[in-house]
Amino acid sequence: MSRRVVRQSKFRHVFGQAAKADQAYEDIRVSKVTWDSSFCAVNPKFLAIIVEAGGGGAFIVLPLAKTGRVDKNYPLVTGHTAPVLDIDWCPHNDNVIASASDDTTIMVWQIPDYTPMRNITEPIITLEGHSKRVGILSWHPTARNVLLSAGGDNVIIIWNVGTGEVLLSLDDMHPDIIHSVCWNSNGSLLATTCKDKTLRIVDPRKGQVVAERFAAHEGMRPMRAIFTRQGHIFTTGFTRMSQRELGLWDPNNFEEPVALQEMDTSNGVLLPFYDPDSSIVYLCGKGDSSIRYFEITDEPPFVHYLNTFGSKEPQRGMGFMPKRGLDVSKCEIARFYKLHERKCEPIIMTVPRKSDLFQDDLYPDTPGPEPALEADEWLSGQDAEPVLISLRDGYVPPKHRELRVTKRNILDARPPSGPRRSQSASDAPLSNTLETLLEQVKALREQVQAQEQRITALENMLCELVDGD
């Protein structure tokens, strides 16, 4: 009886390929801030990158199709008074993005489908509640307008962006700086890592740590943790000898790891990007020039090395496209946006297939842009899995949808639990639209005036020539 040596997997031959030079985004001054976030966020419409900015913090938002050299005067999203540390697109509205900053605030922005004439300076809402820098942002996967933030004050705040209120504040769970926070698939639990070397599973609505593991990785350098499709926790960290390490844990039995693998010696924190549809995790180290990827299965050794995509240039950050933004006709199963010092380069992961037909096994139904719950429903204890869509005919992003912020009723007898926010927050969508229209009218007037001046100058020249003859 012959023994099968090679493990059977449809993802065994996944390969990575950098996009052609004309598909990259050139001349972008990527931020030099020392912070272990990805510096890049992408969705099926836009690419957002944290950039260098004098006198405050800024990021640039480009339509995906706007490849090539980016004009040095291209409008930025500016509003923070200190560097931007993290950005995250809303999973339920492709025109809404949140930014967190060293200035202790979170700002939520509405990005128009057209290219703005000037910098976008007015957020829809500013969320103020942290006392120190805010370095982590994460939208709830299934509830509308629910945003999580974690700050240098060791506090996690969960906000209702639709009203600007604090829904929950977890302020006595972490004794030191929080390194990462991740929701599970239905947003009922959080996995957090902290400088105290403890991995925690948190039920945010009960305000309880439901499981924890001290020194999941024994090294002192930052650890990262994400939930897998099976409900396990995948972690990256360091050994006591500063070797990078990955681990897989069962939250119901934290005593022993399901898997623990040493990798290499390097200082860069490994950022894990997980695709639950294929159960592949991609590891991108800041300062590395490679992306390693592994398949997580129920068979030993549970975390199976697949391959490494290597390049010459080190990465400053990485964006990860949601599954609905991929090209299914080319069997693309992941797309990264790799940040260099002055450019952003797409990297495409593909499963080689001979047929041009839709590959059902590669593309199960995947989370779409519709929320499954309202914020109040989630807060009251309801859970719901993401609303799935089929990618058989490709994904077409819905038209521009405005995020509406509703002011809390000041006659309500309850004391305000929410943060301070700008006076114009409730009128933001309307005022933003009017302001944009006024700006466009002003710009057109300026163009008309410039043309009139040119016409006058040409008429004068003509008169002089006629007089001279």
Side-chain angles (χ1 to χ4, degrees):
M1 195 172 111
S2 63
R3 183 167 165 267
R4 196 175 79 220
V5 178
V6 180
R7 186 180 70 89
Q8 293 293 308
S9 169
K10 60 191 169 209
F11 301 114
R12 209 156 49 85
H13 300 292
V14 171
F15 68 96
Q17 200 168 21
K20 291 174 183 166
D22 62 350
Q23 293 301 303
Y25 306 81
E26 306 272 356
D27 268 6
I28 296 169
R29 294 169 59 222
V30 177
S31 174
K32 293 185 171 71
V33 173
T34 309
W35 191 254
D36 286 326
S37 74
S38 58
F39 283 13
C40 180
V42 63
N43 70 21
K45 276 187 175 183
F46 298 107
L47 168 69
I49 300 167
I50 302 174
V51 293
E52 285 287 286
F59 58 99
I60 191 169
V61 177
L62 299 166
L64 279 191
K66 193 169 177 57
T67 53
R69 187 177 163 278
V70 177
D71 190 290
K72 68 177 190 300
N73 296 318
Y74 193 90
L76 303 176
V77 182
T78 60
H80 288 288
T81 56
V84 176
L85 301 178
D86 199 13
I87 49 177
D88 196 27
W89 287 104
C90 175
H92 307 126
N93 188 333
D94 286 341
N95 293 76
V96 170
I97 188 168
S99 59
S101 169
D102 219 332
D103 66 9
T104 76
T105 68
I106 301 117
M107 292 183 177
V108 181
W109 309 83
Q110 183 98 35
I111 305 298
D113 284 334
Y114 60 85
T115 302
M117 298 275 194
R118 291 176 178 74
N119 287 352
I120 299 174
T121 57
E122 288 295 320
I124 307 171
I125 192 164
T126 301
L127 305 171
E128 300 178 34
H130 288 280
S131 59
K132 291 187 179 175
R133 62 161 58 172
V134 187
I136 297 170
L137 285 178
S138 183
W139 291 89
H140 192 285
T142 62
R144 190 195 307 273
N145 294 343
V146 175
L147 176 66
L148 174 148
S149 63
D153 48 8
N154 313 336
V155 175
I156 291 174
I157 298 178
I158 298 172
W159 310 82
N160 181 348
V161 173
T163 61
E165 292 177 277
V166 173
L167 295 177
L168 299 162
S169 182
L170 311 175
D171 47 14
D172 54 0
M173 287 184 182
H174 300 87
D176 215 325
I177 291 169
I178 300 160
H179 285 149
S180 75
V181 183
C182 176
W183 295 97
N184 67 349
S185 64
N186 68 1
S188 59
L189 295 173
L190 299 169
T192 72
T193 62
C194 178
K195 197 176 178 182
D196 69 351
K197 290 167 61 170
T198 303
L199 165 64
R200 295 174 175 84
I201 309 300
V202 176
D203 183 326
R205 288 169 297 192
K206 290 182 181 172
Q208 291 177 354
V209 176
V210 295
E212 62 183 359
R213 161 75 199 215
F214 176 69
H217 299 281
E218 294 185 344
M220 286 303 297
R221 288 190 54 70
M223 180 166 57
R224 288 282 187 278
I226 54 171
F227 278 98
T228 71
R229 184 177 67 192
Q230 295 89 349
H232 288 155
I233 309 292
F234 179 88
T235 59
T236 64
F238 293 79
T239 66
R240 201 172 286 158
M241 304 301 290
S242 290
Q243 273 203 301
R244 293 198 290 198
E245 191 174 45
L246 59 83
L248 190 66
W249 305 84
D250 181 351
N252 300 316
N253 179 17
F254 262 151
E255 291 301 310
E256 289 296 320
V258 177
L260 200 62
Q261 293 180 26
E262 285 187 13
M263 291 177 64
D264 59 5
T265 305
S266 176
N267 287 330
V269 174
L270 284 168
L271 305 177
F273 296 95
Y274 180 66
D275 172 20
D277 295 345
S278 61
S279 206
I280 295 177
V281 65
Y282 302 85
L283 301 184
C284 309
K286 270 203 160 182
D288 288 8
S289 53
S290 62
I291 301 172
R292 271 169 280 208
Y293 41 107
F294 299 79
E295 186 179 358
I296 300 172
T297 71
D298 297 327
E299 302 168 12
F302 305 106
V303 181
H304 306 269
Y305 171 74
L306 290 173
N307 210 335
T308 299
F309 166 81
S311 60
K312 292 176 185 172
E313 297 289 322
Q315 54 229 16
R316 296 280 295 274
M318 198 68 81
F320 187 51
M321 175 66 80
K323 204 63 174 279
R324 57 197 169 89
L326 303 181
D327 186 346
V328 297
S329 66
K330 293 180 180 167
C331 296
E332 183 183 4
I333 62 160
R335 192 189 313 153
F336 291 91
Y337 287 77
K338 173 180 170 179
L339 299 187
H340 298 244
E341 199 169 333
R342 301 231 13 142
K343 75 169 182 178
C344 175
E345 174 187 46
I347 293 165
I348 293 147
M349 298 288 178
T350 309
V351 176
R353 291 279 167 97
K354 289 176 182 172
S355 170
D356 290 335
L357 299 173
F358 179 73
Q359 307 291 313
D360 298 79
D361 60 327
L362 297 184
Y363 302 106
D365 288 356
T366 196
E370 287 304 316
L373 293 171
E374 296 299 326
D376 295 344
E377 293 173 330
W378 176 77
L379 188 63
S380 69
Q382 291 186 45
D383 289 321
E385 293 301 318
V387 178
L388 304 182
I389 57 169
S390 170
L391 298 179
R392 179 174 289 278
D393 300 316
Y395 171 75
V396 179
K399 287 182 179 172
H400 179 90
R401 290 188 297 182
E402 224 155 356
L403 170 59
R404 301 211 174 276
V405 177
T406 311
K407 212 178 227 176
R408 197 165 176 273
N409 184 357
I410 55 168
L411 301 176
D412 197 324
R414 289 171 297 175
S417 60
R420 290 174 290 120
R421 58 198 183 100
S422 57
Q423 290 298 307
S424 61
S426 63
D427 308 314
L430 181 60
S431 64
N432 280 359
T433 308
L434 287 170
E435 195 174 308
T436 305
L437 287 169
L438 286 168
E439 277 187 12
Q440 287 178 313
V441 169
K442 189 177 174 185
L444 285 168
R445 277 212 184 105
E446 286 170 3
Q447 287 174 14
V448 169
Q449 283 172 358
Q451 294 291 354
E452 284 174 348
Q453 285 169 1
R454 284 180 64 191
I455 290 165
T456 305
L458 286 167
E459 284 174 343
N460 290 340
M461 282 172 64
L462 198 60
C463 288
E464 284 172 13
L465 285 169
V466 170
D467 293 343
D469 289 342

